Structures are given as structure tokens and as C-alpha cells.
Amino acid sequence: MTTKQTSWARGAALRGLVALPLVAGLVTAGWLLADRSPEPAAAPPPVVRDAVSGPSVLEVSAPVKAQEPGQGASGQGGKSPLQQWADQLAGPLDIPADALIGYAHGELALRSEDPSCHLSWVTLAGVGSAASNHGRDGGNLLGLTAAQAKKYGAEAPVAAGRALCAGGTDLGAGPGWWKAIAAYHPGSDTELFRQRVLGMAQLYATLSLDPASAGSARVRATRFALGQLGLPYVWGGNGPDSGAAGFDCSGLTKASYGSAGVALPRTADSQFRALPPVPASEEPRLGDLVFYGSPATRIHHVGLYLGNGLMINAPTEGQAIQIHTYHSKGDDYAGAGRPA
């Protein structure tokens, strides 16, 4: 039996620019390159949120200001506001509080050193997740090489920020963000690393503003789906736990919600007809399923919505499970359904 190498449907001509401020109007994490299918499609028009220099999630959800990274002890047992912020989010985000504080300091330092870079702590948190599971896997928290540490300093979050911002990079521009992550982590697994950084950064940004949802079925399903990035598309596949190397589209969504205790039908068409629809006037929310095909006849494809125009998708044979745009002009998007 031969094994086909999976691909990421890459190439500038095959990607659409996606406006992706990680939380709309709250954190500018970049214009990122992503696509839903390997066929060329016109880039959707830019979605203009706030100015590129707008506030990050850190500034909105934490009682700290960029020019005051150390505010001293106050309240809650003498903990600083930044420590309180980290303690409140550590559980919902599943990030150790010390790591969260490090990512925050990285953002605050680069705001001062290189404000035109527009680094956000959620990008650093995404890197920390992909590189070391926030230090839990051992080694360097942010996967810095010895050469990077020597060049940019010993404090990992600040050094990582400097490495990402090197050469005048603007992380508020999609090609800049995408290239910066690749330059930060070159090698054979660069694309998978970038996908994981993007997916986890998006999840962290969303949860930082709605931490109460962290234990919900839709968040648990999303975490499961993000954990499958890089596995191959397998027609009829239900994943490694069922003896397959990967998943097909509806196998991924069924397994994702199954991990959260929600039973779904097996096929894209049956899932579409079983779920309550999301009104067409509303944007899907994290964890919704997004469907493609004809509602009157047959739904042939499904993905799991991640937020800000992106979905987690098992595209087709020969491609890996990856993050794509969920809807572009001229596609056969049929609507969204809400399992939980």
C-alpha cells in the first residue's frame, strides 16, 4: 500500500486574503493567508475593523496599560492587576499563569520597543502552545533556538517578540504575519506549526473575552478539532482512535463533538438536517458547523467554524486537516448549524 503525502493547498495564487483581527475590533493579529479549497478564488474584500494600532485583548480584558507594565501590589492578596488577570484566565485558557504573564510582558515590551510591529500576546500564546504546550513539554517556552536567544535576549517572551518583529515586520499585515511565523520556525514542519499557532491564537483571543464558555461543548469540540491539524484526509475516516490515519469532513465534526459528549449523525448531509440552523443574518460562532452543497438536494461538505471567517476543515484526498476560510463569493456555502 502506498501512502500519499498530504499537502496544505499552498501557493499565493491559491489563497485568499482573510481579514483576521483575532477578536473583531479588539485585537489586530493580522491579515492571514488561508483558503478553503485548492481551486483559485477571488480574494474577499477587506473587512475593516478598528485601526491597526487598536487595542489588543490584553488592554481590553486586563486592568493594565501599555505604559505601566508594573503597577505594584493592589487588592486580591497583594497581587498586581496583571497577576489577577493571568490567574483569572489561566484555567479557561489552559495556560499556566506564569506563561500568560510572560506573553503579556512580551506584548507590552514590544509595544514600547517596536509599536509598528503590532505584536499581540495571543500570537505569543499561540507560539507557546505550538512550541512547548506552554512549557509543559519541556525545553524552551517559545521554542527559541540558541541563535535566536543569543541575538534577541534571554527573556523568552520578549526575545520571541523581537524575533517575530525583526526586519520591520508588521504583524498586522497577513503576509507579514505568515512569513514571520515561518521565519521564526523554519523546517519541514513549518506549515503545521503556523496552522497550530493560528488556531490556538484565535481560540485564546475568543476565550479571553468569554472565559465562562471554556468548558462548553462547542469549545471542547473546537479544541479536539485543532488537535487534529496535520492529519490526512481519509475518505470515510473516523480518526486514529477508530483505526484510520485521519478523518473525512463529517468524520472530523462527528468525532469533535463526540469528544464533548454530543452525538452527531455521520454524514455532512445528515448533520445539516439534524441541527438547528444559525440564522442567515448571523455570523457563525466558534464551534458551529458550516455546510456546503444544496439544501434542497444534498449537502456534500462540512467544517467546524473557528471564528473571524475561518474554519477547521478536512478538505479532500491528498490534503491535511487545516484551517481555511469558510465562505467566499461564488462558493456553495449552504449555511451553519449549531450542535450546542
Side-chain angles (χ1 to χ4, degrees):
M1 181 179 71
T2 60
T3 301
K4 293 183 179 179
Q5 184 177 2
T6 55
S7 74
W8 298 94
R10 296 185 63 189
L14 306 184
R15 291 186 179 273
L17 279 174
V18 180
L20 187 69
L22 285 177
V23 172
L26 291 173
V27 55
T28 305
W31 294 78
L32 303 184
L33 295 169
D35 64 333
R36 186 176 65 82
S37 74
E39 299 189 6
V47 178
V48 179
R49 307 292 188 181
D50 282 355
V52 164
S53 59
S56 75
V57 170
L58 174 66
E59 194 170 69
V60 170
S61 60
V64 294
K65 296 181 180 179
Q67 61 270 33
E68 299 175 9
Q71 296 189 14
S74 62
Q76 294 196 13
K79 293 181 178 179
S80 71
L82 183 57
Q83 181 69 62
Q84 295 171 33
W85 170 81
D87 288 348
Q88 291 165 2
L89 288 182
L93 270 59
D94 191 27
I95 299 176
D98 287 349
L100 267 176
I101 290 172
Y103 303 144
H105 277 308
E107 177 186 325
L108 295 172
L110 268 294
R111 280 197 211 170
S112 175
E113 290 183 16
D114 190 356
S116 63
C117 177
H118 307 117
L119 174 70
S120 171
W121 71 268
V122 292
T123 291
L124 291 175
V127 171
S129 174
S132 71
N133 190 19
H134 310 294
R136 297 183 181 113
D137 294 344
N140 187 285
L141 173 67
L142 286 145
L144 288 161
T145 65
Q148 286 172 323
K150 181 178 180 180
K151 183 174 182 179
Y152 297 113
E155 187 180 351
V158 177
R162 289 168 179 160
L164 289 166
C165 294
T169 297
D170 181 1
L171 296 176
W177 190 97
W178 209 249
K179 291 176 182 178
I181 300 297
Y184 183 88
H185 185 88
S188 60
D189 65 339
T190 293
E191 186 68 21
L192 178 57
F193 184 83
R194 293 194 294 188
Q195 292 267 331
R196 287 174 172 166
V197 173
L198 169 58
M200 295 310 296
Q202 174 63 56
L203 180 65
Y204 294 147
T206 300
L207 288 180
S208 72
L209 298 178
D210 185 18
S213 69
S216 66
R218 63 189 181 93
V219 171
R220 289 158 59 198
T222 302
R223 283 189 179 274
F224 179 93
L226 287 170
Q228 314 315 306
L229 290 172
L231 291 182
Y233 175 96
V234 176
W235 186 84
N238 294 310
D241 289 345
S242 299
F247 297 88
D248 65 10
C249 64
S250 55
L252 176 62
T253 53
K254 178 176 173 61
S256 296
Y257 269 97
S259 74
V262 177
L264 295 180
R266 177 58 180 84
T267 67
D269 188 76
S270 59
Q271 289 175 10
F272 175 79
R273 302 186 192 287
L275 296 180
V278 175
S281 59
E282 296 180 13
E283 182 181 355
R285 73 179 185 184
L286 183 140
D288 285 347
L289 302 189
V290 286
F291 295 98
Y292 306 86
S294 170
T297 55
R298 178 176 171 270
I299 298 298
H300 63 83
H301 192 70
V302 60
L304 190 147
Y305 191 71
L306 180 60
N308 288 307
L310 300 175
M311 69 173 174
I312 306 163
N313 184 35
T316 189
E317 289 184 290
Q319 292 188 28
I321 295 171
Q322 55 194 277
I323 296 171
H324 285 159
T325 57
Y326 90 103
H327 186 24
S328 59
K329 184 178 180 180
D331 66 15
D332 60 350
Y333 175 65
R338 185 158 293 165

